[in-house]
Amino acid sequence: MTQIAFVTGANKGIGFEIAKQLGEAGWKVIVGVRHVERGEAATAELTAQGIDAAFVAIDMTDADSISQAATRITQEYPELSLLINNAGMPGAFASSFTATQEENLRNAFEVNFFGTFRLNQHLLPLIKSNDGTIVNVTTDMASLTHIQQAPTTLNAFDYNASKTANNAMTTSMAYELRDSSAQVFAVTPGFTTTDLNGNAPGGKTKAEGAAIIVRYAIDGTRHNGEFLNADGVMAW
């Protein structure tokens, strides 16, 4: 039976590379993208590379869009066993707490927390019934331990706080799944050069960042409730 994965924000960057690498590993990949043209173009590009891919429109800021996407997936792809919540937005990457504007904080939370929360609530029953996996893509800066102990860090409260809330959601979901064969965990690819950070130089390539996420997603090991980076388990 073909294994099926749904990847959000999969039209570019790390998300596209996740979809590509899963496809190369033999998975059927459902590409979740807000803009129809971009989603169809990404799906066509994957298909041209021999990957079994399909497109489902989803706007992570729109509750109705998320509900409709989840309904379609449940009906058309009931064997779904992997959800990778990759879609995210940076807020404004504020330089400090003081510089953070509430509008940007709310925008970051809308996608990185509330949108992901909605999609997880819709699809968790399906993933659980298929003994599947949910990966919530996060960041090193979501770790409160990291923020306290790192000699230098990007103190972008809008983005970081939204991902810390996402981490809290991961632990709550993992607690709920503790006695099942399904699992949920968080993975940070670490500093990766993408559009999210304005293609800041010096980071991993998109393919390198995606490979960290894909490795944990399909390694067959139980990671329920863990916060993982390239080297293993991180402190929350």
Side-chain angles (χ1 to χ4, degrees):
M1 178 184 297
T2 301
Q3 294 175 295
I4 303 175
F6 180 42
V7 183
T8 63
N11 62 300
K12 63 178 182 177
I14 290 177
F16 181 82
E17 287 294 333
I18 290 171
K20 179 181 176 182
Q21 292 176 26
L22 285 172
E24 290 171 345
W27 286 70
K28 179 180 180 66
V29 183
I30 311 304
V31 174
V33 181
R34 177 177 56 178
H35 298 289
V36 173
E37 297 82 2
R38 295 174 186 174
E40 290 177 342
T43 304
E45 185 175 347
L46 291 168
T47 301
Q49 297 179 39
I51 291 169
D52 186 1
F55 167 59
V56 170
I58 183 168
D59 182 346
M60 296 299 289
T61 68
D62 186 324
D64 289 339
S65 174
I66 293 169
S67 176
Q68 291 166 9
T71 297
R72 181 180 167 191
I73 288 168
T74 301
Q75 293 175 345
E76 297 183 15
Y77 308 103
E79 303 90 356
L80 183 81
S81 61
L82 176 60
L83 166 62
I84 298 186
N85 288 303
N86 166 75
M89 70 93 65
F93 268 142
S95 59
S96 68
F97 171 80
T98 305
T100 301
Q101 297 182 12
E102 182 175 335
E103 179 183 3
N104 295 324
L105 183 65
R106 288 182 179 277
N107 288 340
F109 264 80
E110 188 59 37
V111 173
N112 300 340
F113 179 73
F114 286 107
T116 305
F117 163 77
R118 294 170 187 134
L119 184 59
N120 279 333
Q121 277 212 327
H122 281 297
L123 291 182
L124 181 60
L126 180 61
I127 293 291
K128 185 177 181 180
S129 70
N130 290 329
D131 297 332
T133 295
I134 296 176
V135 178
N136 291 326
V137 177
T138 186
T139 174
D140 301 34
M141 291 93 70
S143 165
L144 301 180
T145 302
H146 172 85
I147 291 292
Q148 288 180 315
Q149 296 180 355
T152 60
T153 192
L154 179 63
N155 190 24
F157 181 66
D158 44 7
Y159 179 68
N160 296 355
S162 69
K163 287 294 192 175
T164 301
N166 190 300
N167 281 1
M169 174 169 55
T170 301
T171 62
S172 180
M173 294 170 67
Y175 186 84
E176 187 171 328
L177 294 177
R178 68 194 186 283
D179 296 323
S180 77
S181 297
Q183 62 175 342
V184 58
F185 53 90
V187 181
T188 170
F191 175 34
T192 304
T193 299
T194 67
D195 288 351
L196 189 86
N197 54 34
N199 290 300
K204 299 179 184 70
T205 67
K206 299 171 183 66
E208 290 169 341
I212 296 167
I213 297 164
V214 171
R215 169 162 59 92
Y216 286 120
I218 64 175
D219 68 1
T221 300
R222 185 161 178 80
H223 297 293
N224 191 51
E226 293 180 346
F227 180 6
L228 299 157
N229 66 10
D231 299 319
V233 177
M234 283 186 65
W236 293 104

